[in-house]
Amino acid sequence: MVEILNYRNSLPLDSMLLEYRLESVLGAGGFGMTYLGYDTLLEKKVAIKEYLPVELAVRSPDGAIVPINSGSDYNYQWGLERFLQEARLLAKFSHPNIVSVIRYFEANGTAYMVMNYESGLSLSQMLKRVPEPDEATLLKILLPLLDGLHAVHEAGFLHRDIKPSNLFIRDTGQPVLLDFGSARVATGATTRTMTSILTPGYAPLEQYSKDGNQGPWTDIYSLAAVLYRAVTGDNPPDVVTRLKDDPVMDRLLATRERFSNVFLHGINRGLEVDEKKRPQSVNEWRAMFTGEAFVAPARKSEH
């Protein structure tokens, strides 16, 4: 089951948002809070995400979200529109490995996404229960996630915040990509929120600069870092420290008795510090794990 937590900054439990009754807080991050809700019309559980950027806004006594000051108003409204854009985009997806947004609306001076409630646990929680998963288990998680990530990239979107807590394993074993909001909101922001969404160890070097060359290879690095965590049992080293002293390859090679060379090679390639040396697409990276030959898309001829 999902770990249920309490947060002082949440809306009062048992309060109503339209037809949704808030039952508990599932989690919170720098850009939002997620509630377990109950749809009183359809009589089913849902997950509801609220846009609440803690660096820019606070909750007033009446429950509304308001910018901290007039100087924060522009960035708050900019982020709110990006949150709504993300909701519109995710609502268009119907993929078993991408979180499903079934509705979004504005209220309390902010916005909300309503998602199907999934029973299961995060990969972060799973790794606490099963600290040494084998290669077959990790491939059953990785390959479906790559299918979902490929669909995201094909739509012209990047996740930018993949880490164990943002990967969810349903009770059926099927993995799901969660939480597209933080990175999407932060991209191009004029405040320091750009760096606040970075998770040391899981963010590639290009995410440390607003001018960084971000693309599918950016998400590949983060997902490779997740695999590194699962394989070695330790969080991956921060990419900035790797510029001076890089232990990644040695740590991966130390696990050769438990994992195949092909599997470890795929992780290592995904964790290249230089984004140009990484696989440039999900299909290219997937081929490293499956042993299939990757054929690069043909370039359009120039006339």
Side-chain angles (χ1 to χ4, degrees), residues 205 237-248 273:
L205 191 61
D238 179 67
V239 69
V240 176
T241 66
R242 292 182 62 197
L243 294 172
K244 184 176 181 180
D245 181 24
D246 191 353
V248 165
V273 174

Side-chain angles (χ1 to χ4, degrees), residues 41-63:
L41 298 181
L42 299 179
E43 298 182 341
K44 69 172 188 177
K45 292 181 179 180
V46 294
I48 304 173
K49 185 172 181 180
E50 177 183 49
Y51 172 64
L52 174 51
V54 294
E55 291 188 359
L56 301 175
V58 295
R59 192 182 305 282
S60 62
D62 64 358

Side-chain angles (χ1 to χ4, degrees), residues 111-133:
Y112 298 85
M113 288 186 212
V114 183
M115 299 164 282
N116 288 324
Y117 172 73
E118 304 281 5
S119 181
L121 72 172
S122 70
L123 181 62
S124 179
Q125 292 169 321
M126 192 201 90
L127 290 174
K128 291 178 181 178
R129 298 185 184 184
V130 186
E132 294 186 353

Side-chain angles (χ1 to χ4, degrees), residues 221-254:
Y221 183 98
S222 299
L223 192 47
V226 171
L227 293 174
Y228 177 98
R229 161 67 182 85
V231 164
T232 66
D234 294 323
N235 284 322
D238 179 67
V239 69
V240 176
T241 66
R242 292 182 62 197
L243 294 172
K244 184 176 181 180
D245 181 24
D246 191 353
V248 165
M249 183 176 291
D250 288 341
R251 289 301 313 276
L252 289 174
L253 289 176

Side-chain angles (χ1 to χ4, degrees), residues 15 25 73 76 151 153 155 197 251 258 272 277-278 283 297:
S15 61
V25 177
D73 187 66
Y76 176 80
H153 293 168
I197 61 100
R251 289 301 313 276
R258 296 172 46 224
E272 290 279 4
K277 294 182 180 180
R278 275 177 241 145
N283 285 341

